[in-house]
Amino acid sequence: MCIRDRQKAHEKKTNQTESQLKAFNQEMTSFRMKATLLIGLFMIICLSSFGTAYQGIVVAKLPFEPISLFRNITPVSYTHLRAHETGRNLVCRLLLEKKKKE
């Protein structure tokens, strides 16, 4: 009789532990989902604000030519670049042009 009581107590404790772990797992999944949504929302806001701030301004020139799939998706205009400009000169010139327009 004593062995059966121990087995029942052990099963009861095991069931309680399993139910606690399931509840904890649900809480962690919910937290992970909320964190992922928050990060996604933050990234959307950042990318849209950068897109608005730098619309039409080339901020970097790729040191290679992208594959044709990406070349067709994101057309870039290099009409205002000059052959002798470095990145630093380009930024300064663009800032001066922006100041002149204001």
Side-chain angles (χ1 to χ4, degrees):
M1 191 104 171
C2 187
I3 294 174
R4 285 187 182 178
D5 291 338
R6 286 183 189 172
Q7 286 177 345
K8 285 183 181 180
H10 180 69
E11 286 178 16
K12 185 178 179 181
K13 188 173 182 179
T14 303
N15 289 337
Q16 287 176 347
T17 304
E18 284 180 359
S19 65
Q20 288 174 348
L21 287 174
K22 285 179 184 179
F24 182 71
N25 188 23
Q26 288 176 346
E27 287 179 32
M28 290 299 293
T29 302
S30 173
F31 179 76
R32 190 180 316 135
M33 184 181 66
K34 290 175 186 175
T36 302
L37 290 174
L38 185 64
I39 290 170
L41 181 63
F42 178 75
M43 292 300 294
I44 289 170
I45 291 170
C46 285
L47 290 175
S48 66
S49 66
F50 287 147
T52 303
Y54 294 106
Q55 188 174 8
I57 299 174
V58 176
V59 293
K61 186 175 178 181
L62 297 176
F64 58 90
E65 188 159 330
I67 60 176
S68 62
L69 174 69
F70 295 116
R71 207 175 322 132
N72 294 333
I73 291 174
T74 56
V76 178
S77 172
Y78 293 103
T79 56
H80 65 282
L81 288 178
R82 297 181 183 137
H84 66 280
E85 285 184 330
T86 63
R88 193 175 305 150
N89 292 343
L90 176 64
V91 170
C92 291
R93 183 174 63 82
L94 291 174
L95 289 173
L96 288 172
E97 287 177 2
K98 185 176 180 181
K99 193 173 185 179
K100 285 180 186 177
K101 288 179 184 178
E102 294 174 351

